[in-house]
Amino acid sequence: MSSGAPRGQVVRAALPAAVIVCVGALSLLGRALFFEPRPIPESDWEAVAAGALERAGERDAARAYPPWDDRTMVHLGGFGERLVTEHALVPEDVARLDAVWVFAHVDELEDALEAFPFEVERGGERVSSGDAVALRVEVPVARRARARLRELLEGAKVERVDVEGEAEGCDRWDDSLEGWTCGKRDEVYHVGRSIRDVGDEVRPCIWAHPPKGEATWRVTFPGVELGERFVLRASPTMRGWRRNEAGKGAVSLEARVGGEVLVARDVPMREYGWGSYEMDTASRRGERVDVVVEVGARTTKDRQFCFDGWVY
């Protein structure tokens, strides 16, 4: 005689597990059939992208939703700027744009529009093909910046200031780096236009890895015409934070607008969140001033740092 459980008990014990598996499978099937958007054929994405490009202006950008959907992004190369952001946009992401074309599955369009830092008008131009849709989201005039430091970099004055306060002019603009170098070309120690991982996203910025020898970059943007306010964003990169023993160390940052200090602090490497500093300049509107940004560090290894500024 067997000492195990009777066969009837084994069958009864196995039934609940089988039911659970069947219910789970039906749940996944139901989700795929009724809740998940149907896949969009490549031809529809191509048609929508082509239609949007025909209507897009020079200062229109593109944003795909979800942002990691390569099926969409491969067709958006004709746009001058593509916003590849996973999280919500910050105002400065769109401040120099007239509009953003949002590409999404028609059932996910509302989710895509929630990422904008302003109330979106739903009545913009629209291009559709099947379930693929592109909606032109206009950036409100009040949200647009009049100038951006990144665009003014080639006309800036860049100096390397040593610990004694002696300044060396960096008078060589390197087209391949899109930036200024002191002496020979250096892919790390320079000040230039770049695209880096700041604020949990990949964004255009001005790369300013602090120079060696405890020196400081002094970047002067001459004759910037002020508006209602000035916004500076600056932070270490996420990669720099990861390569610095869980964020140890800091980068010194000082910025002055027309001689008035906007910020002067040490920024810890763990603060890679694309920090924002704002100054009300309404009383000086129309005045042309120098905007000066200084970046340095006592220890320079992997002190990856970016900044940018906007005049509103």
Side-chain angles (χ1 to χ4, degrees):
M1 295 288 293
S2 172
S3 60
R7 181 177 301 177
Q9 291 182 11
V10 174
V11 172
R12 286 194 295 273
L15 281 174
V19 170
I20 291 172
V21 171
C22 290
V23 170
L26 289 172
S27 175
L28 290 173
L29 179 61
R31 181 176 178 84
L33 291 175
F34 301 107
F35 296 102
E36 293 291 342
R38 291 176 297 175
I40 294 176
E42 192 81 10
S43 57
D44 284 339
W45 284 126
E46 188 173 1
V48 167
L53 278 168
E54 288 179 1
R55 297 164 173 78
E58 291 184 4
R59 301 192 76 88
D60 285 10
R63 185 175 192 266
Y65 185 87
W68 56 84
D69 193 338
D70 292 337
R71 296 170 303 168
T72 314
M73 294 301 294
V74 294
H75 301 295
L76 305 182
F79 283 89
E81 185 170 344
R82 286 172 288 174
L83 303 176
V84 189
T85 53
E86 182 175 349
H87 303 91
L89 299 165
V90 300
E92 284 65 50
D93 287 332
V94 298
R96 290 292 283 163
L97 300 173
D98 290 340
V100 178
W101 285 87
V102 178
F103 294 81
H105 189 288
V106 66
D107 293 336
E108 295 182 324
L109 183 58
E110 285 301 315
D111 292 337
L113 299 181
E114 290 180 0
F116 284 84
F118 52 81
E119 185 64 30
V120 173
E121 293 290 338
R122 267 59 173 181
E125 288 187 81
R126 184 184 295 244
V127 180
S128 301
S129 181
D131 287 332
V133 62
L135 177 68
R136 187 177 189 269
V137 176
E138 187 166 339
V139 179
V141 174
R143 297 277 189 157
R144 299 179 194 177
R146 302 169 60 183
R148 181 179 184 176
L149 296 187
R150 190 174 187 272
E151 297 170 4
L152 303 176
L153 184 60
E154 198 165 352
K157 177 183 179 182
V158 177
E159 300 168 287
R160 180 185 180 278
V161 184
D162 65 22
V163 291
E164 304 297 329
E166 294 293 326
E168 172 192 0
C170 304
D171 55 3
R172 181 188 172 199
W173 175 266
D174 190 309
D175 287 332
S176 64
L177 294 174
E178 290 191 73
W180 296 97
T181 61
C182 277
K184 65 179 182 179
R185 183 182 187 278
D186 195 309
E187 294 188 359
V188 176
Y189 300 102
H190 69 274
V191 177
R193 289 192 285 258
S194 188
I195 299 176
R196 298 284 171 167
D197 51 339
V198 289
D200 286 329
E201 303 288 1
V202 178
R203 289 185 165 97
C205 61
I206 297 175
W207 168 262
H209 190 300
K212 297 178 181 178
E214 299 185 36
T216 298
W217 293 123
R218 180 192 294 153
V219 188
T220 303
F221 300 86
V224 177
E225 184 177 351
L226 296 178
E228 295 294 318
R229 58 192 177 95
F230 178 83
V231 175
L232 178 81
R233 284 192 176 269
S235 77
T237 68
M238 185 183 295
R239 185 177 184 184
W241 163 68
R242 287 174 173 168
R243 297 181 66 170
N244 272 275
E245 299 180 11
K248 293 182 179 179
V251 172
S252 64
L253 169 68
E254 182 169 338
R256 300 182 296 278
V257 179
E260 187 176 348
V261 176
L262 169 60
V263 57
R265 64 181 295 251
D266 288 340
V267 183
M269 293 302 294
R270 65 177 176 274
E271 291 187 16
Y272 57 85
W274 206 216
S276 179
Y277 309 91
E278 184 172 331
M279 178 183 289
D280 185 339
T281 59
S283 63
R284 304 175 68 180
R285 182 183 176 91
E287 185 178 339
R288 290 191 174 273
V289 304
D290 289 353
V291 176
V292 181
V293 181
E294 297 185 357
V295 178
R298 291 183 178 178
T299 302
T300 60
K301 180 176 173 56
D302 288 324
R303 294 297 192 265
Q304 301 181 18
F305 198 83
C306 262
F307 73 89
D308 205 345
W310 293 261
V311 175
Y312 289 91

